[in-house]
Amino acid sequence: QVQLVESGGGLVQPGGSLRLSCAASGFSFNNYVMKWYRQAPGKERGLVATILSNGGSTNYADSVKGRFTISRDNRKNMVYLQMNSLKPEETAVYYCNAFPSRGSGRNYWGQGTQVTVSS
């Protein structure tokens, strides 16, 4: 069974940091591009960060560049999102996504983890 399980969300003060984790199982993790998305209430889901299958290349939304870092550990089938200097407007549910590196097959989603940035 394919599973993506996010963890690490919670309540953090503005300017604080969190590290999100996503544990993958049930598919060939090393053949998938991994992405983090987020969705705030009433808004569409937006792409936050991307990392290629071998971890050699990353991309970020302009709004998070310099503050967020995506990484992966292919030995552990894990992907991470380090979030620094968090802003209240970044309160959202954060989702882990797996996308086939060659564009073949289906992509997978986790259930999400809530991040709340508030004082």
Side-chain angles (χ1 to χ4, degrees):
Q1 182 182 29
V2 171
Q3 287 194 95
L4 294 173
V5 181
E6 301 96 334
S7 61
L11 176 64
V12 64
Q13 294 183 354
S17 298
L18 284 174
R19 189 177 79 154
L20 306 183
S21 298
C22 175
S25 61
F27 66 99
S28 183
F29 181 79
N30 294 355
N31 293 326
Y32 280 74
V33 175
M34 300 300 298
K35 302 182 178 184
W36 286 97
Y37 289 80
R38 65 188 177 192
Q39 186 169 30
K43 297 186 177 180
E44 294 184 353
R45 184 162 48 194
L47 178 62
V48 176
T50 301
I51 187 165
L52 297 190
S53 58
N54 67 356
S57 183
T58 58
N59 275 292
Y60 301 91
D62 287 344
S63 61
V64 309
K65 286 181 179 177
R67 298 186 297 114
F68 288 15
T69 302
I70 187 171
S71 60
R72 68 192 293 162
D73 184 341
N74 284 355
R75 293 182 64 253
K76 298 180 178 180
N77 288 5
M78 296 286 294
V79 61
Y80 308 95
L81 185 68
Q82 177 67 45
M83 305 185 294
N84 298 328
S85 302
L86 282 160
K87 305 172 181 179
E89 58 264 37
E90 292 172 319
T91 293
V93 177
Y94 284 70
Y95 296 92
C96 180
N97 169 263
F99 184 83
S101 62
R102 295 182 180 271
S104 178
R106 306 192 69 86
N107 64 130
Y108 304 109
W109 294 90
Q111 292 297 305
T113 186
Q114 176 71 48
V115 172
T116 302
V117 185
S118 176
S119 59

